[in-house]
């Protein structure tokens, strides 16, 4: 039994639910750590999941984050989940970014998925790997509004199998303090 106040403020005995009684202090500490260790600087993250376990050459993945606060310095990045069926150690991407004022930027990027010895990079197990790549560091937006990120795979194979999902994430950049004074 727990002693808690009722609606009038009078202290009454109240049974503690069985589920709460069975929670160990260690479980509670681990839960709190996991909650506070999440990326607290995340502003946007969206995942696109591929049907049929592959990314086809004519498929364009598009994300449209609304980024209103131009005072923040941002990091932009991608993450991808793939299986061991992915046939290459890298991935070429064609990236088009359109700002709310119509300015267009185009990039061709190569990201590595495996070490030179063939070991997969990233988190995961024998079935699936998850990788995070930084696309742009320390970006200061000049125009608030909806941005458009259009991404196509740029590999020589038209059907790129083994890719499960592709995500865009935007986070607030950590600013290093200058202690040179």
């Amino acid at each position: 039994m727990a002693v808690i106040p009722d609606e009038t403020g009078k202290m009454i005995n109240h049974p503690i639910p069985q589920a709460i009684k069975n929670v160990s202090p260690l479980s509670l500490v681990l839960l709190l750590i996991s909650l506070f260790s999440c990326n607290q600087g995340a502003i946007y993250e969206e995942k696109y999941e591929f049907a049929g376990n592959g990314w086809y050459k004519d498929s364009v993945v598009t994300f449209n984050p609304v980024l209103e606060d131009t005072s923040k310095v941002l990091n932009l990045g991608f993450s991808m989940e793939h299986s061991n069926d992915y046939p290459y150690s890298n991935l070429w991407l064609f990236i088009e970014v359109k700002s709310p004022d119509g300015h267009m930027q185009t990039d061709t990027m190569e990201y590595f998925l495996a070490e030179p010895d063939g070991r997969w990079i990233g988190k995961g197990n024998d079935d699936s790997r998850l990788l995070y790549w930084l696309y742009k560091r320390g970006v200061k937006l000049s125009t608030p509004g909806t941005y458009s990120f259009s991404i196509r795979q740029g590999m020589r194979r038209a059907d790129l199998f083994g890719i499960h999902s592709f995500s865009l994430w935007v986070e607030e950049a950590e600013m290093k303090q200058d202690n040179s004074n």
Side-chain angles (χ1 to χ4, degrees), residues 58-124:
D58 58 350
S59 297
V60 178
V61 177
T62 303
F63 301 103
N64 295 300
V66 177
L67 305 171
E68 295 292 344
D69 190 348
T70 58
S71 68
K72 292 182 179 177
V73 178
L74 306 174
N75 292 331
L76 310 171
F78 302 112
S79 59
M80 185 182 89
E81 185 179 6
H82 70 90
S83 70
N84 286 333
D85 295 333
Y86 184 77
Y88 302 106
S89 63
N90 67 338
L91 175 67
W92 283 94
L93 299 175
F94 301 127
I95 304 163
E96 290 183 352
V97 181
K98 185 176 180 182
S99 67
D101 63 4
H103 177 76
M104 181 76 78
Q105 177 180 338
T106 304
D107 288 313
T108 301
M109 305 292 293
E110 179 184 22
Y111 292 104
F112 293 96
L113 285 70
E115 298 287 348
D117 64 3
R119 287 180 295 126
W120 291 116
I121 299 171
K123 298 177 184 179

Side-chain angles (χ1 to χ4, degrees), residues 36-53:
F36 287 108
S37 65
C38 293
N39 186 355
Q40 294 179 0
I43 294 171
Y44 173 89
E45 184 168 5
E46 186 177 349
K47 179 194 284 188
Y48 179 88
E49 296 196 25
F50 294 98
N53 199 24

Side-chain angles (χ1 to χ4, degrees), residues 55 57 91-94 152-157 160:
W55 193 347
K57 198 168 213 57
L91 175 67
W92 283 94
L93 299 175
F94 301 127
R152 290 183 297 121
Q153 62 101 338
M155 302 299 282
R156 292 187 179 135
R157 185 181 270 184
L160 197 54

